[in-house]
Amino acid sequence: MAEIGFYHLTRTALEVALPKLLGRVLEAGGRAVVKAASEERVAALDTALWLCPDPDWLPHGTRATGEADLQPIWLTTEDEAPNGARFLFLVEGATSARLADFERVFDLFDGRDEVAVAAARQRWTAAREAGHTLTYWRQTARGWERG
């Protein structure tokens, strides 16, 4: 079973929060897959990761750039880990049937969107019923705090 952290975004946009979390994974020598619900979001995240100032270098790829096996971070809409990632980031309500294949899963959701919050609650319930270890994180003025 995976450890699944639910990350309640209340202070920053996904494009600001995601790079910092991905940077921590890379610092620890890990690889990540970011699964989005749409190709438009993949394209937006691709741009955001290239332009983010902190951390200033997040090597990554998408289906458009190819060579998934060489990419430390893979952005996709598919339920896959072609780069051998042990960390999965789910954004904009994306889900995975392969949660148990990952060491850790990050489910990031927009706390200012009631529909997104309700959907995250449903994913929490389903993950708990499946026997995964769950944690809840919320953004505060000091950063992420475990709730």
Side-chain angles (χ1 to χ4, degrees):
M1 291 288 122
E3 178 184 337
I4 304 173
F6 285 79
Y7 287 76
H8 192 160
L9 299 167
T10 57
R11 299 184 64 82
T12 62
L14 174 66
E15 291 80 6
V16 175
L18 181 63
K20 291 180 183 192
L21 293 169
L22 288 169
R24 290 179 185 166
V25 167
L26 292 186
E27 283 176 13
R31 288 176 160 245
V33 167
V34 178
K35 184 178 181 212
S38 68
E39 289 296 335
E40 293 78 16
R41 177 58 87 178
V42 167
L45 290 174
D46 180 34
T47 300
L49 293 185
W50 285 126
L51 298 177
C52 76
D54 183 25
D56 64 353
W57 175 244
L58 287 172
H60 66 278
T62 67
R63 191 168 308 285
T65 58
E67 300 194 62
D69 57 322
L70 301 177
Q71 306 297 337
I73 300 169
W74 184 247
L75 307 175
T76 186
T77 59
E78 301 299 317
D79 204 3
E80 62 183 356
N83 62 345
R86 301 295 304 141
F87 298 90
L88 173 63
F89 289 77
L90 299 171
V91 301
E92 71 173 2
T95 60
S96 173
R98 304 177 59 229
L99 298 174
D101 293 348
F102 295 91
E103 184 177 316
R104 188 154 178 213
V105 177
F106 300 74
D107 187 317
L108 286 79
F109 62 98
D110 185 350
R112 296 170 291 221
D113 179 340
E114 286 303 316
V115 173
V117 171
R121 287 183 180 128
Q122 290 176 340
R123 292 190 305 276
W124 173 281
T125 300
R128 184 183 61 219
E129 289 172 357
H132 296 288
T133 301
L134 306 180
T135 57
Y136 169 78
W137 298 87
R138 69 174 176 267
Q139 283 183 316
T140 68
R142 294 191 320 255
W144 290 107
E145 287 187 5
R146 192 171 177 166

